[in-house]
Amino acid sequence: IFEVTKVLLTIISFCILMKGINTSPNKYVQFLLLAFWLRFFLGAFHQFTYVPVIGAFSLTAFFSILVAAVGLLVIPKRTLLLKQLMLLYIFFITILLSAIYNGLWSGFIIVLIKWIYFLVITCCLYLAINRNGMTATFKPLLLAFFLPISLQIASILLGAKKVTNNEGATYS
């Protein structure tokens, strides 16, 4: 019964998300809403989305790449030149040098995608806050949290347990 409840709550949260996107103050908040909700959605259906689909990449990995790529298109290029991001770029160079030294290119790609994802989210938050202020930015973003919070409440009320990685011997 929990799986049916999960699907229903996902549909409801998607409707809430669409309303939030339509009433958001700018495209950066809209992008953040979609990125956050998508991450929560993929996490809610982890039994399908964390499994490798092509090579070592899962649906979650593919959508992370998609969010990072679209985010780089949404962000004005001048924002990426902010001096406050310099330490992050130095970190990118360190990751590259480590990959060259160790010859671990697949690890480099995985780490780079995660940090570009972080860069995109950070820049969108920066742009949204500068454009509309803290309240107008963060209040709509709360809508994305409907899915994980409602699923947590439903799992408690329905007594659903999540098996951990400990070979099914324990529950969390």
Side-chain angles (χ1 to χ4, degrees):
I1 189 158
F2 179 67
E3 294 302 318
V4 173
T5 304
K6 189 182 342 183
V7 170
L8 290 173
L9 288 172
T10 301
I11 293 168
I12 292 168
S13 74
F14 183 76
C15 293
I16 291 170
L17 172 77
M18 287 295 107
K19 184 175 187 242
I21 287 174
N22 289 332
T23 59
S24 292
N26 59 58
K27 67 181 178 181
Y28 306 113
V29 174
Q30 292 171 339
F31 176 81
L32 289 166
L33 261 172
L34 194 56
F36 291 169
W37 184 88
L38 185 59
R39 180 60 74 169
F40 293 142
F41 166 75
L42 293 168
F45 294 93
H46 58 86
Q47 65 271 34
F48 306 111
T49 60
Y50 286 4
V51 179
V53 179
I54 297 175
F57 291 105
S58 65
L59 286 175
T60 302
F62 282 120
F63 279 106
S64 294
I65 294 167
L66 181 67
V67 167
V70 170
L72 288 173
L73 294 174
V74 169
I75 298 167
K77 300 307 169 234
R78 70 181 187 283
T79 303
L80 296 173
L81 299 174
L82 290 171
K83 65 182 177 184
Q84 291 87 343
L85 296 174
M86 189 57 63
L87 284 177
L88 190 58
Y89 295 139
I90 291 170
F91 184 63
F92 286 173
I93 293 168
T94 305
I95 294 168
L96 175 63
L97 293 174
S98 174
I100 292 169
Y101 180 76
N102 294 307
L104 299 173
W105 293 104
S106 62
F108 167 72
I109 292 168
I110 292 167
V111 171
L112 187 64
I113 290 167
K114 289 178 184 181
W115 283 98
I116 290 174
Y117 190 98
F118 173 77
L119 172 72
V120 163
I121 297 298
T122 302
C123 287
C124 282
L125 275 171
Y126 170 80
L127 291 164
I129 291 168
N130 277 343
R131 190 171 279 193
N132 295 97
M134 296 279 273
T135 303
T137 297
F138 286 107
K139 190 174 179 183
L141 292 179
L142 290 173
L143 297 174
F145 290 87
F146 174 83
L147 182 60
I149 292 171
S150 64
L151 289 175
Q152 184 67 46
I153 293 168
S155 71
I156 292 168
L157 294 176
L158 297 173
K161 297 189 183 321
K162 180 180 107 181
V163 178
T164 65
N165 290 336
N166 191 9
E167 299 177 7
T170 60
Y171 293 92
S172 63

